[in-house]
C-alpha cells in the first residue's frame, strides 16, 4: 500500500542569521490511506508549523513532503486543514452554507445545484441542519468548529489535518465531538491526522499515535493502538490496550519533560 | 421613563432640530448678540423661503452637492485603488506614505490659491482640491486594514486554491471593507468642507460662493439659512455613505450590533 502522506527528513526554521529559530528537525512520518493518526507533543513544539508544512501552506527549509506520491509545493487538492483558530478561518461575510461552497470551489464534476446538495448533506451530517443560512458569528463556537470540519470534508478531501479541533470545548461536548469525528471519518472516507494535547483523546481516536519531542521537534515514538472499532466512550477507555497505550505515551512525555528540565 | 426614552430614541432627529431651534431662539431673545448678526429663527426660515422661491438656492445646492458627491466617489475609488497598489508594492507604499505625510496636514483652504494658479477657476480646480484632501482616509484605512487581515483567513483561501489576486479580491478586500468605510465616512465630511471652501475662495457658483456674496452684502439671515442647508447636506451625504455601507458590509454592522 502506498502512503497517502509522507514527510521525509523535514526541517523548518523561522527567521535568519542570529534570529534563526529551528522548529522542526529531521522529521519523518507517513500516513496510510484510511488511517486515523494522532499527533501529540508539548505545547509550542511546532505542531501547527508541521501541519502548515504538510499542507503546502509553508515551505519546509529541508526535506520534502509528498501527498499521494506528488511532491507538495502548494496546497494540493484532496487535503484540507481544519485550523486551530477555526473561528477566524470561517469568512464572516459568508453564511455557513456559502463558507462550505467556498471550500468547494475546486471540486470538479458537480454543477452548482449538486454542490449545494452535497454541502447541505454534509451540514446535516455534522448536525447543523437548519443553520445553513446563519452566519458563523451567529452560532456557537462548537457549531463554528463543525462548520469548519464540514467545509474541510466538502472540499473533496481525502486527508483531513485537524489542529487541536476540540481544545476549546467542554468535556461532554468534547466526547460527543470525538465520536462525531470518528463517524465522519468513516462515513466520508477521510484519512485523518489529528493534533491534540490530550493524551487520552489521542489514544481514543487513533489507530496510531505519534509522539513529538520538544523543539526542534521530530517523531520520538510511534505507538500502535490496537483497539476494536467502533470506539465507545466507556468500553474503549477501560480496555487494557487503551490503558497500555495511554501509559506508554504518558511515561514517554514525562521522561522527555524531566530531560528538558534537567538540561 | 422607558417609554419617554423610546420616544426620544425614535424621534431623535426632529427632537435635536427642535432643541437647536429653541436654543437659537433663546439666544436671540436674550439679546447678547446684536440682532443684525443673530437673526431670529422665523427670519432665517423666511430668508430660506425667499431664496428657494427665486430658484437661486436650488441650482447652487445641486452644483455643490454634486461636486461633493462626485469628488467623494472619485477620491474613495482612488484611495482604495492606491491602497491595493501599495499592498502589492512596498516601494510604492513607502512613496505614497511620504506624499501623504506631507500633504495630509495641509488644510483644504491652503490648496486653493495654488490650484487657482495651476488650474484656473473651473472643474479641474474642484477635482484637484477635493481629491487631494479627501483621498487619505480611505487610503490609509485601506492600507492598514489590508495588512491586518488575519493570516488564518489568507491561509484558508490558499488552501482552497485561490491565487494571490483571488485572495486579494475574495478574502482580503471584503475583510478590509468595513474599516475602509470608516475612512470613507470621514472623507464625506472633508469632501463637503473642501467644496464649500473652494467655492468661497475661488468659485463662481455653488453654495460656498453664495454664502460669500451674502456675507459681503451683510445678509445675515441668508447666510444662516445657507449654513443650515450645508449642515443638512452633510447629513444627507453621510446618509448616502451609510446606505452603501449597509449594502456592502451589512454583515459587519450586524455582527457588531449583536448582543453578546
Ligand atoms: N511565523 C513565525 N515566526 C517566528 N516564530 C514562529 C512563527 N510561528 C510560530 N513561531 C514559533 O514557533 C514555535 C512553534 O509554534 P507552533 O505554533 O507551530 O507550535 P504548536 O506546537 O502548534 O503550539 P501550540 O501547542 O500552542 O498550538 C513557537 O515557539 C512559536 O513562537
Ligand atoms: Mg498549534
Amino acid at each position: 500500500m502506498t502512503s497517502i502522506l509522507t514527510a521525509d527528513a523535514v526541517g523548518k526554521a523561522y527567521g535568519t542569521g542570529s534570529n534563526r529559530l529551528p522548529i522542526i528537525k529531521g522529521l519523518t512520518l507517513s500516513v496510510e490511506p484510511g488511517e486515523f493518526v494522532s499527533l501529540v507533543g508539548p505545547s509550542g513544539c511546532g505542531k501547527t508549523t508541521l501541519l502548515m508544512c504538510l499542507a503546502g501552506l509553508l515551505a519546509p527549509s529541508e526535506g520534502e513532503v509528498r501527498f499521494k506520491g506528488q511532491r507538495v509545493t502548494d496546497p494540493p487538492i484532496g487535503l484540507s486543514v481544519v485550523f486551530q483558530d477555526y473561528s477566524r478561518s470561517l469568512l464572516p461575510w459568508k453564511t455557513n452554507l456559502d463558507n462550505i461552497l467556498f471550500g468547494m470551489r475546486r471540486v470538479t464534476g458537480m454543477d452548482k445545484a449538486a454542490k449545494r446538495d452535497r454541502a447541505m448533506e454534509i451540514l446535516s451530517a455534522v448536525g447543523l441542519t437548519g443553520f445553513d443560512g446563519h452566519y458563523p458569528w451567529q452560532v456557537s463556537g462548537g457549531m463554528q468548529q463543525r462548520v469548519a470540519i464540514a467545509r474541510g470534508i466538502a472540499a473533496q478531501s481525502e486527508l483531513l489535518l485537524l489542529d487541536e479541533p476540540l481544545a476549546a470545548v467542554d468535556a461532554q461536548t468534547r466526547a460527543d465531538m470525538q465520536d462525531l469525528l470518528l463517524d465522519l471519518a468513516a462515513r466520508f472516507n477521510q484519512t485523518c491526522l489529528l493534533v491534540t494535547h490530550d493524551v487520552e483523546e489521542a489514544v481514543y481516536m487513533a489507530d496510531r499515535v505519534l509522539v513529538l519531542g520538544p523543539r526542534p521537534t521530530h517523531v520520538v515514538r510511534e505507538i500502535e493502538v490496537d483497539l476494536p472499532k467502533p470506539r465507545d466512550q466507556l468500553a474503549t477507555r477501560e480496555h487494557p490496550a487503551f490503558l497500555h497505550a495511554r501509559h506508554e505515551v504518558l511515561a514517554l512525555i514525562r521522561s522527555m519533560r524531566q530531560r528538558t528540565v534537567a538540561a | 421613563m422607558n417609554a419617554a426614552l423610546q420616544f426620544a430614541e425614535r424621534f431623535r432627529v426632529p427632537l435635536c432640530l427642535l432643541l437647536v431651534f429653541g436654543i437659537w431662539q433663546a439666544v436671540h431673545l436674550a439679546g447678547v448678540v446684536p440682532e443684525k448678526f443673530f437673526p431670529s429663527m422665523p427670519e432665517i426660515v423666511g430668508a430660506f423661503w425667499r431664496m428657494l422661491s427665486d430658484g437661486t438656492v436650488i441650482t447652487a445646492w445641486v452644483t455643490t452637492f454634486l461636486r461633493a458627491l462626485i469628488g467623494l466617489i472619485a477620491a474613495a475609488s482612488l484611495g482604495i485603488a492606491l491602497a491595493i497598489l501599495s499592498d502589492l508594492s512596498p516601494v510604492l507604499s513607502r512613496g505614497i506614505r511620504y506624499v501623504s505625510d506631507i500633504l495630509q496636514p495641509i488644510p483644504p483652504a491652503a490648496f486653493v490659491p495654488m490650484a487657482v494658479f495651476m488650474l484656473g477657476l473651473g472643474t479641474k480646480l474642484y477635482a484637484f482640491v477635493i481629491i487631494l484632501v479627501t483621498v487619505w482616509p480611505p487610503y490609509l484605512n485601506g492600507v492598514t486594514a489590508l495588512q491586518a487581515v488575519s493570516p488564518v483567513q489568507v491561509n484558508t483561501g490558499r488552501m482552497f486554491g485561490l491565487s494571490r489576486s483571488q485572495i486579494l479580491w475574495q478574502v482580503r478586500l471584503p475583510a478590509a471593507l468595513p474599516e475602509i468605510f470608516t475612512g470613507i465616512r470621514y472623507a464625506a465630511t472633508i469632501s463637503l468642507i473642501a467644496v464649500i471652501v473652494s467655492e468661497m475662495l475661488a468659485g463662481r457658483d455653488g453654495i460656498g460662493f453664495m454664502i460669500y456674496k451674502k456675507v459681503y452684502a451683510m445678509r445675515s439671515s441668508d447666510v444662516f439659512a445657507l449654513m443650515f442647508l450645508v449642515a443638512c447636506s452633510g447629513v444627507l451625504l453621510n446618509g448616502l455613505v451609510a446606505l452603501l455601507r449597509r449594502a456592502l458590509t451589512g454583515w459587519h454592522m450586524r455582527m457588531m450590533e449583536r448582543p453578546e
Side-chain angles (χ1 to χ4, degrees):
Chain A
M1 199 157 49
T2 56
S3 302
I4 187 167
L5 181 78
T6 58
D8 186 20
V10 164
K12 177 70 193 173
Y14 287 120
T16 51
S18 58
N19 288 324
R20 194 179 148 88
L21 182 66
I23 306 292
I24 303 170
K25 186 119 191 80
L27 185 143
T28 297
L29 61 76
S30 67
V31 179
E32 308 309 319
E35 237 189 339
F36 202 118
V37 177
S38 291
L39 261 175
V40 290
S43 153
C45 75
K47 302 182 293 290
T48 299
T49 306
L50 173 61
L51 282 202
M52 295 296 127
C53 290
L54 296 178
L57 290 166
L58 208 57
S61 330
E62 298 153 22
E64 64 167 29
V65 174
R66 284 178 181 271
F67 175 66
K68 295 205 286 183
Q70 296 284 320
R71 184 164 181 169
V72 172
T73 48
D74 287 309
I77 299 178
L79 185 161
S80 297
V81 184
V82 177
F83 294 95
Q84 189 167 10
D85 199 354
Y86 55 86
S87 70
R88 234 175 278 188
S89 92
L90 297 171
L91 305 179
W93 56 91
K94 289 183 185 291
T95 60
N96 291 336
L97 177 64
D98 285 338
N99 264 291
I100 293 176
L101 289 172
F102 179 74
M104 296 177 79
R105 42 187 307 289
R106 279 199 290 187
V107 170
T108 48
M110 269 193 223
D111 63 5
K112 248 194 166 140
K115 280 187 183 178
R116 219 189 115 90
D117 289 347
R118 175 81 176 157
M120 294 299 265
E121 179 200 339
I122 298 176
L123 258 178
S124 87
V126 298
L128 288 177
T129 314
F131 287 97
D132 51 295
H134 286 63
Y135 287 88
W137 38 270
Q138 288 174 321
V139 301
S140 73
M143 286 170 153
Q144 291 173 22
Q145 179 62 289
R146 281 181 277 159
V147 176
I149 293 169
R151 183 179 64 180
I153 295 173
Q156 228 163 37
S157 160
E158 297 164 53
L159 175 64
L160 278 183
L161 306 181
L162 301 140
D163 197 355
E164 302 197 28
L166 310 182
V169 297
D170 61 86
Q172 185 50 50
T173 317
R174 192 174 182 127
D176 293 343
M177 287 285 290
Q178 288 167 350
D179 292 330
L180 176 69
L181 255 181
L182 287 173
D183 211 48
L184 291 169
R187 176 162 165 195
F188 294 102
N189 300 317
Q190 301 293 307
T191 304
C192 293
L193 184 62
L194 169 82
V195 168
T196 173
H197 57 242
D198 179 343
V199 172
E200 301 211 359
E201 177 173 279
V203 175
Y204 178 77
M205 306 286 285
D207 301 309
R208 199 149 55 94
V209 179
L210 303 180
V211 183
L212 297 177
R215 230 170 44 211
T217 197
H218 64 278
V219 179
V220 176
R221 196 176 303 169
E222 198 180 308
I223 293 156
E224 296 285 339
V225 180
D226 193 14
L227 281 166
K229 288 183 180 178
R231 304 281 159 94
D232 178 276
Q233 290 288 352
L234 287 177
T236 302
R237 287 173 189 273
E238 288 161 3
H239 197 285
F242 178 89
L243 298 174
H244 184 260
R246 172 176 164 260
H247 181 94
E248 193 175 348
V249 177
L250 283 172
L252 180 61
I253 290 175
R254 189 167 63 186
S255 76
M256 283 193 309
R257 196 174 307 137
Q258 277 162 354
R259 224 171 304 144
T260 329
V261 171
Chain B
M1 188 60 217
N2 221 343
L5 269 179
Q6 258 176 16
F7 179 82
E9 171 68 28
R10 201 179 149 84
F11 296 102
R12 60 183 187 278
V13 175
L15 281 176
C16 278
L17 278 177
L18 220 63
L19 193 70
V20 171
F21 273 46
I23 294 173
W24 187 283
Q25 206 53 20
V27 172
H28 171 79
L29 290 175
V32 281
V33 189
E35 197 167 321
K36 198 170 153 196
F37 302 121
F38 207 86
S40 70
M41 262 299 149
E43 279 174 76
I44 293 172
V45 173
F48 185 68
W49 192 248
R50 237 182 304 117
M51 288 189 289
L52 207 60
S53 33
D54 70 17
T56 46
V57 78
I58 294 178
T59 33
W61 181 79
V62 170
T63 310
T64 299
F65 193 75
L66 280 183
R67 274 177 190 151
L69 183 65
I70 294 170
L72 176 64
I73 293 169
S77 313
L78 183 66
I80 295 171
L82 286 178
I84 291 172
L85 286 175
S86 295
D87 190 70
L88 298 175
S89 148
V91 178
L92 189 70
S93 171
R94 235 171 301 137
I96 301 178
R97 183 58 66 122
Y98 288 138
V99 176
S100 86
D101 281 351
I102 295 166
L103 293 184
Q104 225 201 339
I106 303 176
F111 284 116
V112 177
M114 178 183 82
V116 170
F117 287 127
M118 277 167 49
L119 304 164
L121 296 171
T123 314
K124 271 189 282 183
L125 171 97
Y126 292 108
F128 178 77
V129 175
I130 298 171
I131 289 176
L132 210 55
V133 299
T134 311
V135 74
W136 306 118
Y139 168 72
L140 293 171
N141 278 24
V143 171
T144 325
L146 283 173
Q147 290 299 321
V149 173
S150 147
V152 181
Q153 286 186 348
V154 173
N155 274 339
T156 299
R158 288 180 59 206
M159 176 173 76
F160 293 128
L162 272 70
S163 66
R164 234 179 94 109
S165 74
Q166 283 172 322
I167 285 177
L168 177 64
W169 291 106
Q170 295 179 37
V171 178
R172 299 177 62 216
L173 209 52
L177 213 49
E179 184 136 0
I180 292 176
F181 262 102
T182 309
I184 295 178
R185 207 208 127 101
Y186 185 54
T189 313
I190 310 181
S191 157
L192 194 62
I193 295 174
V195 176
I196 301 282
V197 166
S198 306
E199 287 171 349
M200 286 174 105
L201 293 178
R204 286 172 298 193
D205 51 7
I207 296 287
F209 180 63
M210 227 173 144
I211 292 177
Y212 193 72
K213 271 195 316 191
K214 301 287 187 188
V215 167
Y216 272 77
M218 298 288 273
R219 304 287 294 264
S220 59
S221 13
D222 289 5
V223 172
F224 284 119
L226 292 172
M227 276 172 50
F228 279 113
L229 183 62
V230 171
C232 294
S233 312
V235 173
L236 180 63
L237 201 57
N238 279 343
L240 289 178
V241 173
L243 226 64
L244 188 66
R245 181 184 196 168
R246 191 160 276 281
L248 292 180
T249 66
W251 63 270
H252 185 256
M253 301 173 89
R254 275 176 284 139
M255 187 168 98
M256 290 300 156
E257 281 162 11
R258 82 189 191 284
E260 278 305 325

